Amino acid sequence: MTWVYDSRLYDTKFQASCRMARLEDAALASSIPCRLISIFQTSSGRYGVKMLVVHDSSESERRSK
């Protein structure tokens, strides 16, 4: 499992939650094996979105061939 961070930071928690909702919809519509999507706050007070992506062992075997 790996954390994948969104490339942008937001000024408000509301903006980050809107982005999180879009990422949840995209993860459901696609084949992204996402376990968790959450909001985090940086030490500067800005907000970001991160996803916990599960790596399938069969997928890593396909990449190595």
Side-chain angles (χ1 to χ4, degrees):
M1 291 187 277
T2 306
W3 283 107
V4 177
Y5 293 84
D6 192 30
S7 62
R8 195 163 172 212
L9 293 175
Y10 302 93
D11 295 326
T12 65
K13 194 172 187 177
F14 175 75
Q15 290 173 323
S17 67
C18 290
R19 177 63 177 160
M20 183 178 77
R22 286 192 172 250
L23 287 173
E24 287 173 339
D25 290 344
L28 288 174
S30 69
S31 61
I32 298 172
C34 184
R35 280 249 172 114
L36 177 69
I37 301 176
S38 65
I39 297 172
F40 66 95
Q41 187 173 13
T42 64
S43 58
S44 65
R46 298 185 76 191
Y47 296 91
V49 181
K50 61 183 180 177
M51 297 187 319
L52 185 61
V53 177
V54 179
H55 294 287
D56 188 9
S57 61
S58 61
E59 180 182 332
S60 61
E61 289 174 8
R62 278 185 264 141
R63 288 184 185 175
S64 65
K65 291 182 180 181

